[in-house]
Amino acid sequence: MKKLFILAAAVVLSATFLKAQTADPELDYIKKAYSKEKKAIVNEYMKLDEQGGTKFWPVYDAYEASREKLAVQRIGLLDEYDTNADKLTDELADKLAKALLANNVSLDKLNQKYYGKMKKAVGALSAAKFMQLEVYLQTTWRSVLQELVPLIGELDKTKKD
């Protein structure tokens, strides 16, 4: 389990650098590397037999395609916040807050939708096991990103310094 945690942490930390990438080929490379590493973590954690894997992986791949779109959208919002942090207005703060909340809701709905699909494919126990790992990775990723993003009150302090 310790090995899995270290690997998961490495994947999540590498994902934080998505924000720093600006060129599309670089972003595509990082997304592919993250996806490949994440799939290895999921594979090791799930320990599916051949029959379970045959049913699980197509559902997982469809889930990841949808989740990735939301992740890219979230990173874009964080990038927009970072770019405009020193000139944040009520209107922009409202726009970004609403978009981020909508992104959170979309991710929760996606998780719920795919839990049902995975449950049909591999049973409730394996579906719950996957969702537990997925929510763990999402929470860790959000926490790492949150540490990198200054709070609005902190922005005021840096303006005075």
Side-chain angles (χ1 to χ4, degrees):
M1 187 65 165
K2 185 176 181 181
K3 180 180 167 189
L4 181 64
F5 176 75
I6 292 169
L7 185 57
V11 168
V12 169
L13 288 174
S14 70
T16 62
F17 297 107
L18 286 173
K19 182 172 95 49
Q21 303 301 317
T22 56
D24 285 343
E26 291 179 59
L27 182 60
D28 288 343
Y29 174 78
I30 291 170
K31 287 186 329 190
K32 285 178 187 173
Y34 174 73
S35 179
K36 191 173 180 181
E37 290 174 17
K38 183 180 177 196
K39 196 167 190 173
I41 291 169
V42 171
N43 187 46
E44 183 177 335
Y45 181 71
M46 294 300 293
K47 296 183 183 356
L48 297 165
D49 61 19
E50 189 175 329
Q51 183 182 12
T54 300
K55 295 176 182 175
F56 175 81
W57 291 111
V59 179
Y60 172 84
D61 290 339
Y63 168 80
E64 275 299 296
S66 296
R67 187 207 53 78
E68 184 181 288
K69 290 175 187 172
L70 293 172
V72 168
Q73 186 181 67
R74 183 179 199 88
I75 289 166
L77 292 168
L78 292 172
D79 188 45
E80 186 175 355
Y81 172 77
D82 184 52
T83 300
N84 296 295
D86 59 342
K87 51 188 176 273
L88 201 59
T89 64
D90 278 349
E91 293 79 19
L92 182 56
D94 185 50
K95 174 191 161 204
L96 292 173
K98 286 178 180 176
L100 190 59
L101 291 168
N103 184 273
N104 289 341
V105 169
S106 294
L107 184 58
D108 287 342
K109 285 180 179 179
L110 183 72
N111 287 344
Q112 193 169 31
K113 173 182 174 182
Y114 275 88
Y115 169 74
K117 289 182 178 213
M118 287 187 179
K119 184 173 129 180
K120 285 180 184 174
V122 293
L125 185 60
S126 289
K129 185 176 182 179
F130 169 73
M131 278 301 149
Q132 185 180 35
L133 175 63
E134 183 63 24
V135 170
Y136 171 80
L137 291 172
Q138 290 170 7
T139 302
T140 303
W141 186 54
R142 284 180 181 181
S143 178
V144 168
L145 286 175
Q146 188 63 47
E147 288 296 320
L148 298 173
V149 176
L151 297 172
I152 293 172
E154 290 177 348
L155 293 172
D156 295 339
K157 289 178 187 174
T158 59
K159 287 179 184 177
K160 293 176 186 174
D161 291 339

